Amino acid sequence: MQPAQKPKAKAAKVLSFLDMVDRFPDEEAAMTYLKDVLWSEGPVCPFCGSKHHNVRANPMYLYCADCRKSYTIRTGTIFQRSHVPLHKWLYAIYLVVTARKGVSSLQLSKELGITQKSAWFMLQRIRSACGNDGGCDLLSGIVEVDETYIGGKEVNRHESKKKRAGRGPVGKMGVIGMTAAEMT
């Protein structure tokens, strides 16, 4: 008699670079995607939450019939007040999320064909969107703490640089590390 086999979970499909380029070739495709994600049930005013709107001369801009404010798909998101096209934003997010060791603003500027200053601005917005807003709960529950002293031995120092105080942390830099322990 064979033991019951567990059903295998489907692995999430990773979006490749070529899939990214095919899916978002221009700003219009990126805007259509964001409208489907953010406004699945139709446009909603980010200021008052109303669904009553009028279209301006430029179809990108909507005008709320209730609070009388203009808004776009970018309003209230990390894309707000940025002139960088949306497909470049989505590509930047893709690069940040898939990079193993992070992405610098210089590398991002070269990849996207924008200035380093704009790339730095984008990275700050993306990092803040990915970050933890609570701030204080980073080290909650059980916290593991360890310390060490970094520096060479007194014996190996030049005579004029030696600290005249025996063994231990004299003349060394103290380093402390903390991490939240996982409960198992």
Side-chain angles (χ1 to χ4, degrees):
M1 187 168 167
Q2 294 180 342
Q5 293 180 353
K6 293 181 183 177
K8 291 184 180 180
K10 289 184 180 180
K13 184 177 182 256
V14 178
L15 191 65
S16 72
F17 170 72
L18 291 175
D19 294 337
M20 187 76 184
V21 172
D22 289 342
R23 194 166 182 185
F24 307 114
D26 56 5
E27 183 163 15
E28 188 176 322
M31 188 172 295
T32 303
Y33 171 75
L34 286 174
K35 281 182 181 178
D36 291 343
V37 170
L38 297 175
W39 293 339
S40 59
E41 297 176 10
V44 177
C45 176
F47 303 108
C48 68
S50 172
K51 292 187 178 185
H52 306 289
H53 65 276
N54 301 321
V55 178
R56 294 280 194 170
N58 183 346
M60 253 180 62
Y61 288 91
L62 300 174
Y63 180 77
C64 180
D66 294 335
C67 69
R68 300 182 183 273
K69 292 184 180 179
S70 295
Y71 62 95
T72 68
I73 191 71
R74 293 174 179 246
T75 307
T77 66
I78 62 172
F79 316 119
Q80 185 171 345
R81 300 187 56 85
S82 169
H83 298 288
V84 177
L86 287 174
H87 68 286
K88 289 187 178 186
W89 269 99
L90 294 178
Y91 182 51
I93 292 169
Y94 172 80
L95 288 175
V96 169
V97 171
T98 58
R100 289 186 180 183
K101 295 187 178 182
V103 178
S104 69
S105 60
L106 189 61
Q107 179 185 354
L108 193 63
S109 70
K110 290 177 181 177
E111 292 276 342
L112 298 177
I114 58 175
T115 64
Q116 191 265 337
K117 189 175 179 181
S118 295
W120 184 85
F121 169 78
M122 291 173 72
L123 273 175
Q124 295 302 313
R125 290 272 181 104
I126 293 168
R127 288 175 181 152
S128 70
C130 292
N132 184 358
D133 292 337
C136 296
D137 62 347
L138 288 176
L139 294 175
S140 61
I142 298 174
V143 177
E144 295 178 11
V145 180
D146 198 7
E147 84 287 340
T148 188
Y149 295 96
I150 306 293
K153 294 181 179 179
E154 288 292 314
V155 177
N156 296 332
R157 293 190 184 193
H158 188 270
E159 198 63 37
S160 64
K161 306 256 183 190
K162 285 185 180 180
K163 310 281 186 203
R164 303 275 185 233
R167 301 175 14 185
V170 176
K172 297 182 181 182
M173 177 70 66
V175 179
I176 297 176
M178 296 185 280
T179 183
E182 265 188 47
M183 301 286 288
T184 55

